[in-house]
Amino acid sequence: QVQVVESGGGLVQAGGSLRLSCTASGRTFSNHVMGWFRQAPGKEREFVATISWNGDITYYADSVKGRFTISRDNAKNTVYLQMSRLKPEDTAVYYCAAAFAGRPVQTSSLYDYWGEGTQVTVSS
């Protein structure tokens, strides 16, 4: 029903910045809470950030708070993750997900649609 596609990953030096983009199909995009998750090799998928359907409410994992910013542009069916002051431990595949929910959620199992992920590698 909803297709989610991430882009913007790549290789960056520690301390640098990247902006990930996520575009979702369908006219119901504005009704979905959007979230970013990441999974490093050998690790479980973890929550990164989430944003309400109208962009008024955001939540971040403690590990990225103050460094990452999530935003959305419903007119473009796009959500962004601006990542600054990147650290090697931020290296992971980053996934964008959509949840049909009334407010932001941080649990991956509550999200209904997932992108295939985009690789972010932060070198020392």
Side-chain angles (χ1 to χ4, degrees):
Q1 291 181 314
V2 177
Q3 287 186 301
V4 180
V5 181
E6 309 96 334
S7 64
L11 176 65
V12 65
Q13 293 274 349
S17 300
L18 282 175
R19 187 169 90 155
L20 305 183
S21 298
C22 170
T23 300
S25 66
R27 296 181 179 180
T28 60
F29 175 81
S30 62
N31 296 330
H32 283 78
V33 169
M34 302 298 297
W36 286 96
F37 294 78
R38 67 187 183 186
Q39 187 167 22
K43 303 291 186 179
E44 295 183 351
R45 185 171 298 184
E46 65 175 347
F47 166 76
V48 175
T50 184
I51 187 168
S52 61
W53 64 270
N54 63 2
D56 288 343
I57 304 172
T58 58
Y59 295 106
Y60 298 90
D62 288 342
S63 60
V64 306
K65 192 175 300 182
R67 299 188 299 119
F68 291 11
T69 301
I70 188 171
S71 62
R72 68 190 297 164
D73 185 342
N74 288 346
K76 297 180 179 180
N77 287 359
T78 301
V79 62
Y80 305 96
L81 185 69
Q82 176 66 51
M83 305 183 294
S84 301
R85 306 198 307 278
L86 284 161
K87 305 174 181 179
E89 50 262 47
D90 294 319
T91 295
V93 176
Y94 282 71
Y95 297 91
C96 180
F100 193 72
R103 57 180 177 267
V105 291
Q106 302 179 29
T107 303
S108 61
S109 63
L110 298 178
Y111 284 80
D112 302 300
Y113 305 100
W114 293 80
E116 294 183 353
T118 185
Q119 177 71 48
V120 172
T121 302
V122 184
S123 62
S124 301

